[in-house]
Amino acid sequence: HEAMHAWLKELRGAWPGRDAALRAWSVASATAFAKVQPREAVAALWRRRLARIGDFAATQEEAARGLYARTVSERNGRLLLPHPRGDVLLKARADRLDLTGDEGVRVVDYKTGAVPSKKSVEAGTHPQLPLEALIAADGGFENLPKLRATALE
């Protein structure tokens, strides 16, 4: 998550091209990875995995450019839910929010494991994205207006 956040921050503005984006990913992922200080055998496996993630992320990011007016990452949000026996404060940290410019938002969660199925999200067994959409609709993400979720990914 730290690498993705740093990478997206570096890519603000116009798309720099695939090569520059991959170089920025390499720096961001190496910086984040160095903080973990894994054993060499683990590091060797993860370096290859991070390179594949960077390639995938660059492909996705290039395709998404032009579709969104603004992208924010690692944004904190909160929503107070009233309850007769005491209010409940819902807190979340959105991995990525892509603002459409017409008060719409694509809510994205970066998964390191298996992505929950659409059926499980709709059934409520994986509530993270719907809850983040609810926070967005209430204007609960820091420095963002009320936003209507157009996609949960």
Side-chain angles (χ1 to χ4, degrees):
H1 286 244
E2 184 177 329
M4 190 64 73
H5 177 65
W7 184 65
L8 288 171
K9 192 173 180 181
E10 182 68 26
L11 295 183
R12 284 185 185 152
W15 177 246
R18 184 172 184 77
D19 290 342
L22 289 173
R23 282 192 302 275
W25 171 256
S26 181
V27 170
S29 63
T31 301
F33 194 61
K35 293 178 182 178
V36 178
Q37 299 178 342
R39 289 184 294 218
E40 189 51 42
V42 173
L45 292 172
W46 269 97
R47 280 189 204 99
R48 287 192 293 275
R49 186 173 186 191
L50 287 170
R52 287 192 308 272
I53 290 169
D55 186 61
F56 174 80
T59 299
Q60 297 298 308
E61 186 65 22
E62 185 172 20
R65 289 296 170 115
L67 298 177
Y68 304 104
R70 181 176 163 212
T71 294
V72 296
S73 63
E74 299 296 323
R75 186 61 59 101
N76 289 321
R78 49 193 292 148
L79 174 65
L80 189 63
L81 300 172
H83 189 274
R85 288 194 269 170
D87 296 344
V88 176
L89 180 61
L90 175 66
K91 295 180 182 179
R93 185 168 179 92
D95 291 345
R96 177 178 178 143
L97 300 168
D98 291 323
L99 286 68
T100 62
D102 63 352
E103 297 180 0
V105 64
R106 179 177 80 145
V107 182
V108 179
D109 179 47
Y110 298 124
K111 291 291 180 205
T112 54
V115 176
S117 69
K118 181 178 180 183
K119 184 178 177 181
S120 69
V121 170
E122 289 172 349
T125 59
H126 288 88
Q128 179 181 350
L129 291 171
L131 291 174
E132 288 178 1
L134 186 62
I135 292 170
D138 193 58
F141 281 107
E142 296 173 344
N143 302 314
L144 292 177
K146 292 182 178 184
L147 298 165
R148 168 187 40 81
T150 58
L152 304 177
E153 298 178 18

